[in-house]
Amino acid sequence: MSARILLAAALLAPAAARADWTEHLALSGFAQSDLRFDVEDYRGPVAGKGYAFSANRTDVGLLLQMEPAAGLSAIVDGRLRYRGFVEADRLVQTTERDLVDPFSMQLDRAFLAVKGKPWKWLDLRIGRMVQTWGTADMFSPVDILSARDLSDPLDYTRKVPNQMIQADAYPASWLSLSAVFIPVFKPSQLPPSAGLAFAMERDPRGCLAAAPAPPLGRADAQRLAALFASTDPCALDFEDPQVRLVLPDNGIADAQAALRAKLKLGDLDLGLTYYYGRFSFPVAYTAVAKTAPSDDPARTRVQYVAEVVYPRMQVAGLDFSYSAEWLWDVGVTGEVAAIFPEEVDFALRAYVGDQKVFGATSVNVPSTPFLKATLGLEYTFASWLAANAMYVHGFFDEFADAYGLHDYVLVVPRMSFLDDSLKLQISAILDLTDLSKQENPELVWVPVPGAELSAGGWWFAGSTRPKDPIDYGSREKFGQKAAGRSVAYLRAKVTW
Amino acid sequence: MIRITAALIAVLTAAPARAEPAKPSAAEILDRMDAANNAFTDQTMEIALTVQDVDGSKKTYEFTLLQKGDTKRLIHFTSGEIKGMATLVEDRNSVYVYLPGFKKVRRVTANTMSQGFAGSDLSNDDMAITRWGRGWEPRLDREDETSVWLVLTPKADEKSEYAKVVHRVDKVRFQQMETHYYNRSGELVKKLEATEPKEFAGGVRRNMHIVVTDARTGHRTVLDTKSFKFNQGLEDDLFTVRQLQWGK
């Protein structure tokens, strides 16, 4: 009898434990299908090749939230991505499923959060996560702790997750303090089109038509151009540059640290931030062009190796959001970041064989502090119509290098119809510095709660050619090929 | 959404029955209605909101609402494409929203609060009010066997899109049973009706079903309370930005 009781207890115990455990679990997620079509044929790597599907993707995301005890929370947030294009190029590879239907796993977040320990006013968070600071969306100059994930330009809010330790203190109801330590630097993930920033332009005959201008002074740039001008462009086999990363070491001095104070002062929310770390987008550092033997004695093979670096910087930031009746209840957000960069010198050398034929250096990033800023307005005109407008000084990928900081105006009217089942949003951003622009009209239909069907366009307007071929800073922001191709898209998403 | 929560609190909640022999004034009736609406130290509700279009089509969103006192509220959306979003109301001028897509907490402007929610018939100006006596002047209109009808007009410093509001108040429990909203042209634009009363412990009675109808189009919003708990001792710390973003 006792053996039976023990057996029953042993069998029942796990079930009881499981029941308790599942009460502290929450599982949610989504499935999303993306189909995109390039709607032009000149902005990609090869002119004339376009009007084709450029995305055929399925994502399945799962978010697991666990609260095994009061004040203890764990998050696991990942996604499975099926890329949708065959990556096999040999017959034998078609026997492998992951080449015929390639996929990847991404773990966006996995962290532990503890509340009120060891002191009541302190929260701790440790693990893989992303940080979002500042009051402005997207164009936030103080939101620099987590690198951007621009692997999908349309999913522009994503960030590269990283291991972090975060402490949040709440000494008063109007004040909170945060400290974040990030041991290892991770750069931003760039869009697939990013490599075109360094690509050589060739004419239909395959002759060199243009090379990207390096960040040199005008006199040196002209000298370099003259060097190539004396050579028959059709006799040059100019390889696309190999661009190498100069990543920081993993020492303590290369870690990132940030502090933030948030104050609530009546209608004003104010944030003060300090960041020590690195700019997460690459800055040109060195370049070496060298001729190499060619199979064809009438032609010259040119190898081009460049390096990019992620400059160290300190950033002091201020951000606010404000709304008051005297201001007609318009929501105002603003951010200013004072950036103190380390100097980055750029050096370029050219060799014919072992003989140096050109050499120049320039200061690509001076150590002079500079500002990035955002000012935004938000207003609801009617229950079906709202709009945001924003002025931006310095895009999130811009630094005070030879390209410089541009000024932008962003306008986003949003309309909703049919009980919010149909939403139209038109996002348009204009670069005031070079007058290139980018537009993103999108129509979203919610046929039933939890399901969204979206159709839209992601269009660039501007010249792919720089106004001045020897000026590094004359590339148009949204015109250059590195910005990516204009696409039309269709997306279906189910959230549960 | 803020308005929805306030409306729910204001209309669904009722205090234990108290019969009064003397005939109270309009101001006293309004005070008692406000008291009945805010009779709990805290409350937790699971609510289903169904928007019904005139063609018969429906859509439903679910959310959990926690409230302490008559101002602090925390709302977690538990279904639909907005699942994971949470809203904290510290007071009418201090509203924060957690946006799961951005992994961030944003302060909501008063202007943005005036947006409707998920196509419902509830607007901020309807729902931000939990105590009508603060900004509205009552006048006794009429009474019948079960109810008293109060006509309310906004006080000078009250901002409202309505020129007049009429409440039908239960004579015995001072529950808010109906509210009619009139625009500046004197036109009835919206009607709110609370039904399906349910008894809870301690003599608490609660209307579990609310229908808000657009009087001009027939468009309807139905609020069904799936569960209701009250006086649980919810801590103040629950209604903070700290809680809104913790563990997310």
Side-chain angles (χ1 to χ4, degrees):
Chain A
M1 183 63 191
S2 60
R4 284 183 187 175
I5 293 170
L6 282 173
L7 179 61
L11 290 172
L12 290 172
R18 214 166 34 240
D20 290 339
W21 183 248
T22 52
E23 285 176 10
H24 301 287
L25 282 181
L27 185 65
S28 55
F30 69 90
Q32 180 174 311
S33 176
D34 278 85
L35 193 62
R36 290 179 204 162
F37 191 80
D38 290 341
V39 291
E40 36 96 339
D41 67 349
Y42 62 94
R43 207 180 290 274
V46 181
K49 285 194 175 177
Y51 299 108
F53 289 103
S54 53
N56 180 38
R57 202 175 63 200
T58 301
D59 284 6
V60 178
L62 284 175
L63 169 62
L64 181 64
Q65 295 174 284
M66 292 168 280
E67 290 194 24
L72 179 63
S73 173
I75 293 281
V76 178
D77 184 4
R79 73 167 66 190
L80 177 64
R81 168 164 289 180
Y82 278 86
R83 297 194 286 274
F85 292 111
V86 177
E87 293 180 3
D89 54 11
R90 287 181 289 135
L91 182 65
V92 67
Q93 291 177 330
T94 59
T95 62
E96 297 177 37
R97 180 62 179 264
D98 56 352
L99 292 175
V100 174
D101 191 11
F103 66 93
S104 61
M105 295 277 292
Q106 297 179 20
L107 184 61
D108 293 333
R109 298 184 299 158
F111 66 82
L112 184 72
V114 181
K115 187 180 179 189
K117 303 287 181 188
W119 299 284
K120 195 177 173 184
W121 45 267
L122 186 69
D123 295 349
L124 296 171
R125 186 181 285 207
I126 300 170
R128 182 179 173 87
M129 61 186 107
V130 296
Q131 295 286 340
T132 302
W133 282 13
T135 53
D137 294 335
M138 184 65 182
F139 301 104
S140 166
V142 305
D143 185 21
I144 47 179
L145 275 72
S146 287
R148 307 267 180 164
D149 176 0
L150 299 174
S151 56
D152 180 354
L154 272 66
D155 194 2
Y156 47 79
T157 61
R158 281 176 66 82
K159 292 181 175 170
V160 176
N162 204 342
Q163 299 291 121
M164 302 181 195
I165 302 169
Q166 178 183 350
D168 298 311
Y170 300 88
S173 61
W174 55 273
L175 174 67
S176 67
L177 304 167
S178 298
V180 179
F181 178 70
I182 307 173
V184 177
F185 170 79
K186 285 188 184 175
S188 286
Q189 189 173 353
L190 302 180
S193 56
L196 297 176
F198 294 90
M200 299 296 161
E201 295 277 343
R202 294 181 179 84
D203 66 16
R205 296 175 298 159
C207 303
L208 182 68
L216 290 173
R218 185 147 199 94
D220 287 329
Q222 283 173 332
R223 256 193 328 125
L224 182 66
L227 190 70
F228 283 104
S230 62
T231 311
D232 176 7
C234 293
L236 289 176
D237 286 333
F238 218 120
E239 298 175 359
D240 278 334
Q242 297 175 38
V243 184
R244 296 172 182 165
L245 302 183
V246 180
L247 285 167
D249 295 330
N250 295 330
I252 191 77
D254 294 303
Q256 301 162 86
L259 300 169
R260 176 171 168 84
K262 285 176 73 176
L263 298 88
K264 186 182 172 190
L265 308 168
D267 292 329
L268 177 71
D269 278 12
L270 186 67
L272 301 169
T273 57
Y274 169 77
Y275 169 80
Y276 170 86
R278 289 178 181 273
F279 186 53
S280 71
F281 289 91
V283 167
Y285 184 40
T286 69
V288 175
K290 191 175 181 181
T291 60
S294 173
D295 295 339
D296 182 351
R299 301 179 66 81
T300 304
R301 188 169 148 225
V302 184
Q303 295 173 321
Y304 188 49
V305 178
E307 289 179 319
V308 293
V309 69
Y310 299 91
R312 195 194 301 272
M313 63 180 183
Q314 295 183 71
V315 181
L318 180 150
D319 62 270
F320 72 90
S321 67
Y322 181 73
S323 170
E325 202 173 308
W326 70 269
L327 208 57
W328 305 285
D329 285 337
V330 173
V332 183
T333 56
E335 296 189 15
V336 180
I339 298 159
F340 301 82
E342 70 171 347
E343 182 172 304
V344 177
D345 294 331
F346 176 76
L348 189 148
R349 304 280 183 273
Y351 295 87
V352 173
D354 293 331
Q355 186 187 356
K356 181 177 154 188
V357 294
F358 181 85
T361 59
S362 66
V363 177
N364 191 13
V365 179
S367 58
T368 315
F370 63 96
L371 296 178
K372 292 175 84 169
T374 296
L375 181 67
L377 302 174
E378 181 180 349
Y379 193 73
T380 302
F381 297 92
S383 60
W384 60 275
L385 176 64
N388 286 33
M390 195 179 281
Y391 163 76
V392 179
H393 175 65
F395 218 68
F396 51 78
D397 65 343
E398 289 175 355
F399 210 56
D401 62 355
Y403 187 77
L405 302 169
H406 288 200
D407 294 294
Y408 303 85
V409 170
L410 172 75
V411 181
V412 188
R414 297 187 305 273
M415 287 152 273
S416 60
F417 311 98
L418 304 175
D419 302 339
D420 277 359
S421 295
L422 195 63
K423 298 171 189 173
L424 174 64
Q425 174 174 298
I426 302 167
S427 165
I429 183 164
L430 172 68
D431 184 331
L432 298 172
T433 310
D434 63 28
L435 300 181
S436 64
K437 60 188 174 183
Q438 191 265 322
E439 293 163 349
N440 176 210
E442 183 179 78
L443 190 65
V444 180
W445 178 41
V446 183
V448 293
E452 295 168 279
L453 293 173
S454 312
W458 183 267
W459 299 320
F460 297 99
S463 174
T464 55
R465 301 229 171 226
K467 289 185 176 71
D468 181 349
I470 63 167
D471 181 0
Y472 183 75
S474 71
R475 285 172 290 142
E476 292 191 2
K477 185 71 181 181
F478 302 118
Q480 60 181 309
K481 288 184 174 181
R485 273 185 155 150
S486 297
V487 298
Y489 61 88
L490 194 62
R491 183 190 300 138
K493 184 177 183 182
V494 177
T495 307
W496 63 81
Chain B
M1 190 59 224
I2 308 312
R3 303 164 184 186
I4 295 165
T5 62
L8 287 169
I9 302 309
V11 178
L12 292 180
T13 311
R18 287 177 296 175
E20 293 289 337
K23 187 174 277 189
S25 68
E28 286 171 329
I29 293 169
L30 188 63
D31 280 348
R32 289 184 184 184
M33 188 189 87
D34 280 340
N37 285 340
N38 299 286
F40 311 101
T41 55
D42 61 62
Q43 45 196 310
T44 303
M45 291 180 279
E46 289 176 356
I47 295 164
L49 179 147
T50 303
V51 179
Q52 298 181 357
D53 207 344
V54 287
D55 64 2
S57 62
K58 294 179 183 179
K59 62 175 181 178
T60 301
Y61 291 91
E62 293 176 352
F63 57 92
T64 303
L65 185 150
L66 298 94
Q67 172 157 334
K68 186 163 189 178
D70 61 359
T71 55
K72 291 185 175 179
R73 296 178 207 113
L74 184 64
I75 303 137
H76 290 286
F77 299 91
T78 54
S79 79
E81 69 281 3
I82 51 176
K83 183 177 180 179
M85 201 168 92
T87 303
L88 168 70
V89 184
E90 292 182 329
D91 57 59
R92 193 176 186 279
N93 296 318
S94 184
V95 180
Y96 294 86
V97 60
Y98 173 76
L99 301 168
F102 286 90
K103 312 273 187 300
K104 121 183 216 185
V105 172
R106 277 190 64 179
R107 188 168 185 168
V108 179
T109 64
N111 181 261
T112 304
M113 282 169 61
S114 67
Q115 289 180 334
F117 166 70
S120 77
D121 296 281
L122 300 155
S123 74
N124 197 30
D125 288 331
D126 304 332
M127 301 311 209
I129 302 167
T130 52
R131 286 193 178 273
W132 287 91
R134 282 182 186 148
W136 294 73
E137 198 67 55
R139 174 174 60 81
L140 193 60
D141 183 42
R142 66 183 191 276
E143 64 180 288
D144 55 29
E145 281 186 14
T146 61
S147 308
V148 177
W149 296 78
L150 296 180
V151 176
L152 276 67
T153 49
K155 292 177 181 173
D157 57 349
E158 177 71 7
K159 283 176 64 181
S160 175
E161 60 185 296
Y162 304 112
K164 185 176 78 172
V165 167
V166 177
H167 289 309
R168 181 168 74 84
V169 185
D170 176 76
K171 270 173 138 176
V172 178
R173 293 172 180 268
F174 295 97
Q175 277 188 275
Q176 182 182 343
M177 305 303 293
E178 280 183 36
T179 299
H180 300 200
Y181 301 84
Y182 294 84
N183 65 15
R184 295 183 202 288
S185 307
E187 182 186 14
L188 176 66
V189 291
K190 202 174 293 183
K191 186 178 176 183
L192 181 152
E193 295 167 284
T195 56
E196 296 183 16
K198 185 175 176 181
E199 301 289 339
F200 290 87
V204 170
R205 195 182 202 216
R206 172 179 187 76
N207 289 314
M208 307 297 280
H209 185 75
I210 288 179
V211 178
V212 181
T213 309
D214 186 319
R216 292 167 294 189
T217 64
H219 192 274
R220 284 155 47 103
T221 299
V222 178
L223 294 153
D224 285 306
T225 304
K226 302 292 184 188
S227 73
F228 174 61
K229 297 173 187 169
F230 57 95
N231 296 342
Q232 297 171 282
L234 298 180
E235 293 185 11
D236 286 336
D237 184 50
L238 200 58
F239 302 90
T240 59
V241 172
R242 176 187 187 179
Q243 180 66 30
L244 195 61
Q245 62 194 3
W246 179 77
K248 291 195 172 80

